[in-house]
Structure formats: structure tokens, C-alpha cells
């Protein structure tokens, strides 16, 4: 029988889920786009009982109740939670052979010693082709991407506790601090609603608590490991309040442990706390390049940038994320120096590990620099292969002013490709509207913005913006313009 009625805790979770969905409407948080903060309808008790009997297990009560009273999979940390049907597929292969020994007693535990982990993971045995099951007694309840998983311990002292693990055994499992599935799930909802970031560290890997609570924890401990854990947990905040900035800056000045002090300097630099330029050499010595570049970019005077920009060039290829973006901004600021030119960024352009934000920052930087012809070959290839219209917008903007026939032919091909896209057509209609004062609506959608940028490379075909857009959307006039300007084969 299905459990009837919803207890207060289930209603609270569903209410928090609504708030989380409202907080992240664009699904920007890691994994959110896969579940979109939606849960499948609850499972019946018969469905749960049948699954348990098939697997020979009894689900932990909190998780069992969640499936029956809240939702049968869907919204959850990372890529969400599995429902019962997905669990069945995860536990057995297509022939019905069991992949996870969920009936066995667990062998993992929190903060395992290296020796115990090696014994459980048995790397030598795996090399010899032996079957190894270090995650016995653990139910996989969700994916974190690639081979990283979220699991639930089924028996023993840690029954009902959530654990993160790697199916490739590349590191020890991590037991979350929350005692029970529901506290872990509610914490995820609270942190989404609070707007915490999971870019620096994945959800659940850091301490719970707001900035004030973490500051109080720091005041109460003298243990370097605990201090480090508190410091690293602060990276979940998008910004740090002034009170905490003052506190941690004072703590940094008084700290005698070198490793803890380095962590504090990096934290203060991350949140752009003033007065950190004197720490640049220390950060560089410690290899904390991203934090050093952050200080140079946000706090460094012109004199500081003059001294450090060549060293920023030297470590550019080591940087990722915000550190890389800060470096690009610093280099762009030094654009008037003779030895700062686009050719020096060829290796950075060739990087395949840059995310979209990093590549856009790099394009922004190059757009400011002289010598864009030095990287023309890269952009000829890039513009012919890239499919993301947003990235194409910045690439076209970046090559603006480069006089090259091949580049112009690529621009024309891109206009041919995107001029009839529904978003370009939408922005075209806006361009034909006459607003108060005689103006018109500018392009607002990616494909429309791309087409607008491309038209600008030809000075809107000798017309104004409205007239240029009208010519492009008229198939006959557009064909005639191409023929008149020698782009018949474009």
C-alpha cells in the first residue's frame, strides 16, 4: 500500500524545492539542467518492496520514505537522484548479472587509512584481472559525472549515510558529514536557495554553515587541519561580508602556521580583500598563481601591473577558470606596451581545456591588442568550425578590423548560415520597428547578435542598421550584393 498523507518534513522539502527552482531559473548550478529541480511522482510501497526483494536488501528508512512520499528520483545534488527503475539498471547489466554486491557488508568507512583503502581497492589484484568490490554494501543513488558517484550505505555502522566515490577507484571515498539522507538533501536545497557556489568545490565536500557560523568555528579552534577545512569551506560563498573579511585578514596577520597562512592569503585574494599586494611574492613562491593574478588584476596599481605582467604571461597556460580570466584582463590592460601583442597568445588559443567563459575572456583580450593578424590562421579555422553562436559573436568581434579576403568570405558564409535562423528573423523584425525618436530595437538573441556583428564588418552594406538588416533578409537583394562584391562562391 502507498503511504497516505504527507508528513511535515516532506512538505518542507517540496516547499524548499520550489524555492530552489525559483532561485536558479536558468539551471546554472552544476547538473541542474539535467533534472531542472523536478521530481518524478512518488513510488508505491509495492514498487519499493518488489525492488528490495529482487535485490535482497532493505533500503534505509529516510531514503525509502523519500521515494514514497516526496519523489521517485529527479532533483538532487549534481546530476540528480536515481528513481527505482534507474536503480535496477545500475545494479545489473543487460543480461541481469549483478554489478554491485549490495547485499554484502561494507568495507569502506570515513577517513580510511591509506593502507585500508589500498587493501579494499586492491590495485595489484585489478592489474591481474581479479574482481574487486570496494563499494560492497553501497547503493548508487546518483551520478556526479564521469565515474564519480553518489551512494548510500545499506548496512553496518554507517547505514543510511551518503558517500561519494569513484568507480575507477582513483581516490578514497568521502562520507558526507550529515547523518542521514534527508539532512544531506535539505542542506543541498538550502545552499541552492542561499546562492552558494559549487564551482570551487562540489556540494557536500565542505562544511555546512553561513559565513558568520564558519567564522565562529575558526575562532574556536587552534587545529591547523580544522582551520584549513573552514577556510576552504568559505569558497562556496559568492561574496564574503565585510565583517568576515576583516576577521580573516587579522587572522592571517597573526597566523604562525605557514600552510594555514597561505590558505588565508589565497582566500583573501579570492574575495579581493584590499592590502594583499605585499603578499604577491609569497603567493608566487607557493605556486598560488591564480590568487596572485587576482590581486594584480583587482588591487594592483599601474606600477604593480608593470612589474608583474610579464610573469603573468609566463604562467598563463597553467591557469584555469577565474585565474585565467583575470590574467587575460591584466594583459589587455597592458595593450599599449610594445611587447604586448596578439601573437603572444597563440598557445593560449590552442588550448582545448578552456571552458566557454575562458575562451570569451581570451577573445576579449585579443580584441584589445595590436597584431591580430598574427593569429589570423587560428580564427580562419575557428570561424569555419565553431557551432556555438555565442562564441562566434566574440570571435567575429575579436577579428574586427582585420583586412583579409578569406576572413570576409567566412563572414559571408556565416551570414548565409544564420540569416534565416528564427532568432535572427526575430531580431530582424525588431530592427524594422520605429521607436520613439526614430530608433529601432537592437539584436537581443545570439543568432541575431551574430548576424548583426557580421553585417557591421561590411558597414551594413553601405546602409544604416535597419537598411542593412532588410537587405540581408531579402534573398534577391542579398544574392545580388554577393555577386556585386565577388562572393558568388561564398
Amino acid at each position: 500500500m502507498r503511504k497516505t498523507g504527507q508528513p511535515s518534513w516532506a512538505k518542507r522539502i517540496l516547499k524548499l524545492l520550489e524555492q530552489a527552482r525559483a532561485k536558479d531559473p536558468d539551471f546554472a548550478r552544476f547538473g541542474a539542467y539535467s533534472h531542472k529541480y523536478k521530481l518524478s511522482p512518488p513510488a508505491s510501497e509495492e514498487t519499493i518492496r518488489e525492488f528490495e526483494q529482487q535485490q535482497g536488501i532493505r533500503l534505509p528508512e529516510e531514503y525509502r520514505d523519500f521515494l514514497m512520499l516526496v519523489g521517485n528520483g529527479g532533483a538532487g545534488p549534481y546530476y540528480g537522484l536515481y528513481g527505482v527503475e534507474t536503480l535496477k539498471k545500475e545494479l545489473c547489466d543487460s543480461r541481469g548479472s549483478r554489478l554491485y554486491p549490495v547485499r554484502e557488508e561494507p568495507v569502506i568507512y570515513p577517513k580510511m587509512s591509506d593502507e585500508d583503502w589500498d587493501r579494499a581497492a586492491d590495485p595489484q589484484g585489478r592489474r591481474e584481472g581479479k574482481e574487486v568490490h570496494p563499494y560492497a554494501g553501497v547503493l548508487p543513488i546518483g551520478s556526479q559525472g564521469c565515474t564519480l558517484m553518489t551512494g548510500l550505505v545499506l548496512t553496518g555502522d554507517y547505514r543510511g549515510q551518503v558517500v561519494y566515490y569513484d568507480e575507477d577507484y582513483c581516490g578514497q571515498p568521502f562520507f558526507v558529514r550529515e547523518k542521514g539522507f534527508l539532512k544531506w538533501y535539505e542542506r543541498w536545497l538550502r545552499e541552492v536557495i542561499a546562492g552558494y557556489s559549487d564551482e570551487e568545490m562540489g556540494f557536500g565536500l565542505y562544511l555546512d554553515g553561513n559565513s558568520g557560523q564558519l567564522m565562529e568555528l575558526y575562532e574556536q579552534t587552534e587545529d591547523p587541519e580544522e582551520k584549513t577545512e573552514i577556510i576552504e569551506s568559505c569558497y562556496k560563498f559568492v561574496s564574503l561580508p565585510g565583517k568576515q573579511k576583516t576577521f580573516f585578514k587579522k587572522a592571517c596577520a597573526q597566523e604562525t602556521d605557514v600552510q594555514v597562512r597561505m590558505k588565508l592569503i589565497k582566500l583573501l585574494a579570492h574575495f579581493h580583500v584590499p592590502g594583499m599586494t605585499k603578499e604577491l611574492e609569497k603567493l608566487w613562491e607557493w605556486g598560488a598563481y591564480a590568487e596572485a593574478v587576482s590581486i594584480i588584476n583587482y588591487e594592483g596599481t599601474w606600477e604593480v601591473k608593470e612589474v608583474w605582467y610579464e610573469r603573468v604571461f609566463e604562467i598563463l597556460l597553467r591557469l584555469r577558470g577565474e585565474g585565467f580570466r583575470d590574467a587575460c584582463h591584466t594583459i589587455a590592460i597592458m595593450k599599449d606596451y610594445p611587447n604586448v601583442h596578439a601573437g603572444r597568445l597563440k598557445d593560449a588559443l590552442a588550448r582545448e581545456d578552456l571552458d566557454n567563459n575562458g575562451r570569451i575572456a581570451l577573445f576579449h583580450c585579443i580584441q584589445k591588442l595590436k597584431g591580430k593578424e598574427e593569429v589570423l590562421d587560428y580564427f580562419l579555422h575557428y570561424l569555419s568550425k565553431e557551432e556555438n553562436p555565442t562564441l562566434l559573436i566574440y570571435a567575429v568581434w575579436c577579428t574586427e578590423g582585420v583586412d583579409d579576403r578569406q576572413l570576409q568570405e567566412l563572414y559571408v558564409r556565416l551570414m548565409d548560415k544564420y540569416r534565416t535562423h528564427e532568432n535572427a528573423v526575430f531580431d530582424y523584425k525588431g530592427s524594422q520597428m520605429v521607436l520613439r525618436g526614430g530608433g529601432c530595437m537592437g539584436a537581443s538573441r545570439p543568432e541575431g547578435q551574430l548576424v548583426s556583428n557580421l553585417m557591421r564588418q561590411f558597414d551594413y552594406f553601405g546602409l544604416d542598421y535597419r537598411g542593412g538588416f532588410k537587405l540581408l533578409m531579402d534573398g534577391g537583394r542579398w544574392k545580388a550584393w554577393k555577386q556585386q562584391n565577388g562572393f558568388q562562391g561564398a
Side-chain angles (χ1 to χ4, degrees):
M1 292 177 58
R2 183 189 296 273
K3 288 192 176 184
T4 58
Q6 272 191 330
S8 58
W9 64 264
K11 293 177 181 178
R12 182 176 66 252
I13 285 177
L14 291 172
K15 184 177 180 180
L16 289 172
L17 183 59
E18 288 180 11
Q19 295 174 23
R21 188 184 304 120
K23 181 69 177 183
D24 186 21
D26 298 323
F27 313 125
R29 193 174 178 87
F30 180 83
Y33 201 84
S34 63
H35 57 73
K36 299 180 180 177
Y37 300 101
K38 295 180 180 178
L39 289 165
S40 297
S44 67
E45 189 161 4
E46 289 81 4
T47 298
I48 299 296
R49 190 182 302 116
E50 179 187 355
F51 171 74
E52 290 176 328
Q53 289 173 349
Q54 287 175 346
Q55 303 301 327
I57 61 174
R58 171 74 179 182
L59 296 175
E61 291 303 319
E62 287 190 356
Y63 179 64
R64 196 174 194 272
D65 286 345
F66 182 92
L67 294 174
M68 288 191 294
L69 296 170
V70 181
N72 183 18
Y78 301 97
Y79 288 106
L81 300 175
Y82 294 153
V84 173
E85 290 303 315
T86 305
L87 285 172
K88 291 177 183 177
K89 295 175 184 177
E90 286 292 314
L91 294 178
C92 298
D93 63 19
S94 59
R95 295 168 296 181
S97 300
R98 190 174 296 278
L99 298 175
Y100 277 83
V102 290
R103 299 174 184 173
E104 298 180 14
E105 287 295 314
V107 295
I108 59 174
Y109 60 88
K111 298 182 179 179
M112 294 179 74
S113 66
D114 292 339
E115 294 79 10
D116 282 356
W117 170 243
D118 283 342
R119 194 157 37 247
D122 192 9
Q124 182 60 39
R126 283 186 280 120
R127 283 192 288 269
E128 295 171 358
K130 294 180 182 177
E131 282 197 21
V132 175
H133 298 292
Y135 306 125
V138 175
L139 180 73
I141 62 171
S143 171
Q144 300 181 12
C146 298
T147 58
L148 302 178
M149 302 293 292
T150 302
L152 196 66
V153 181
L154 295 175
T155 60
D157 293 340
Y158 302 101
R159 172 177 163 80
Q161 192 158 347
V162 175
V163 59
Y164 299 165
Y165 62 95
D166 186 345
E167 289 185 319
D168 278 350
Y169 319 123
C170 292
Q172 294 189 19
F174 176 81
F175 282 71
V176 302
R177 297 167 181 84
E178 288 71 34
K179 305 301 181 184
F181 172 83
L182 291 179
K183 286 186 178 180
W184 169 79
Y185 191 83
E186 281 199 43
R187 177 186 168 188
W188 171 68
L189 292 172
R190 284 190 288 103
E191 295 203 351
V192 174
I193 295 165
Y196 293 166
S197 170
D198 56 0
E199 184 177 344
E200 293 290 332
M201 295 178 72
F203 166 72
L205 295 172
Y206 42 77
L207 293 171
D208 193 6
N210 59 37
S211 58
Q213 290 167 331
L214 292 181
M215 183 183 77
E216 290 176 9
L217 287 176
Y218 195 95
E219 286 179 303
Q220 295 165 9
T221 184
E222 293 297 329
D223 183 86
E225 287 188 11
E226 290 181 2
K227 287 182 176 181
T228 296
E229 192 172 33
I230 293 165
I231 293 166
E232 291 179 345
S233 297
C234 289
Y235 286 100
K236 66 183 178 182
F237 306 126
V238 175
S239 60
L240 200 63
K243 182 177 181 180
Q244 280 69 46
K245 286 181 179 180
T246 300
F247 170 81
F248 283 116
K249 188 174 182 180
K250 183 177 179 181
C252 180
Q254 297 173 345
E255 183 57 61
T256 57
D257 185 287
V258 174
Q259 293 302 315
V260 174
R261 188 159 187 258
M262 183 188 77
K263 296 283 185 183
L264 283 166
I265 292 171
K266 290 173 68 175
L267 178 73
L268 295 167
H270 177 82
F271 288 110
H272 314 311
V273 175
M276 302 308 294
T277 54
K278 63 181 181 296
E279 307 289 356
L280 282 172
E281 284 292 353
K282 292 190 184 73
L283 288 169
W284 214 265
E285 179 184 339
W286 292 332
Y289 301 121
E291 289 74 17
V293 172
S294 175
I295 294 172
I296 295 166
N297 183 38
Y298 288 98
E299 192 188 342
T301 61
W302 187 261
E303 290 74 19
V304 169
K305 290 179 172 65
E306 279 186 314
V307 170
W308 284 89
Y309 79 90
E310 277 294 344
R311 293 168 80 173
V312 173
F313 265 118
E314 290 171 9
I315 52 87
L316 184 64
L317 299 183
R318 303 187 195 183
L319 297 171
R320 287 173 175 76
E322 187 176 3
F324 181 82
R325 298 192 294 270
D326 287 342
C328 288
H329 188 257
T330 298
I331 291 169
I333 290 172
M334 310 307 293
K335 60 184 172 57
D336 293 328
Y337 277 62
N339 56 342
V340 179
H341 51 88
R344 296 188 67 179
L345 298 175
K346 283 184 178 179
D347 289 341
L349 284 169
R351 286 178 63 170
E352 296 182 355
D353 61 339
L354 292 180
D355 61 14
N356 288 353
N357 289 332
R359 195 158 298 280
I360 288 171
L362 183 58
F363 289 170
H364 262 290
C365 177
I366 291 174
Q367 197 275 336
K368 302 284 186 184
L369 304 185
K370 54 188 167 291
K372 284 184 275 190
E373 295 80 4
E374 299 166 348
V375 291
L376 178 59
D377 287 346
Y378 167 84
F379 283 102
L380 290 174
H381 176 76
Y382 185 84
L383 288 167
S384 65
K385 299 295 183 182
E386 181 57 58
E387 295 291 331
N388 185 323
T390 300
L391 291 174
L392 285 170
I393 290 168
Y394 288 97
V396 170
W397 180 61
C398 186
T399 54
E400 192 167 297
V402 177
D403 186 11
D404 181 84
R405 183 66 181 184
Q406 281 183 274
L407 190 60
Q408 291 176 344
E409 288 174 353
L410 274 172
Y411 291 159
V412 171
R413 287 178 196 155
L414 286 169
M415 282 190 281
D416 273 329
K417 179 177 180 179
Y418 286 99
R419 57 185 283 274
T420 56
H421 190 282
E422 60 180 349
N423 285 341
V425 173
F426 176 89
D427 281 335
Y428 161 67
K429 292 177 180 177
S431 75
Q432 302 307 298
M433 296 173 62
V434 179
L435 304 179
R436 183 177 298 175
C440 62
M441 292 180 64
S444 61
R445 301 188 176 187
E447 291 79 7
Q449 290 175 329
L450 174 58
V451 166
S452 177
N453 275 10
L454 289 163
M455 289 191 298
R456 191 170 66 244
Q457 309 315 307
F458 298 97
D459 195 25
Y460 300 109
F461 320 119
L463 304 168
D464 61 10
Y465 175 71
R466 182 183 286 121
F469 226 146
K470 192 169 186 177
L471 184 153
L472 181 65
M473 290 301 178
D474 185 322
R477 293 179 66 198
W478 171 236
K479 183 177 179 180
W481 182 90
K482 288 194 291 181
Q483 290 175 341
Q484 291 167 7
N485 290 275
F487 291 109
Q488 294 93 331

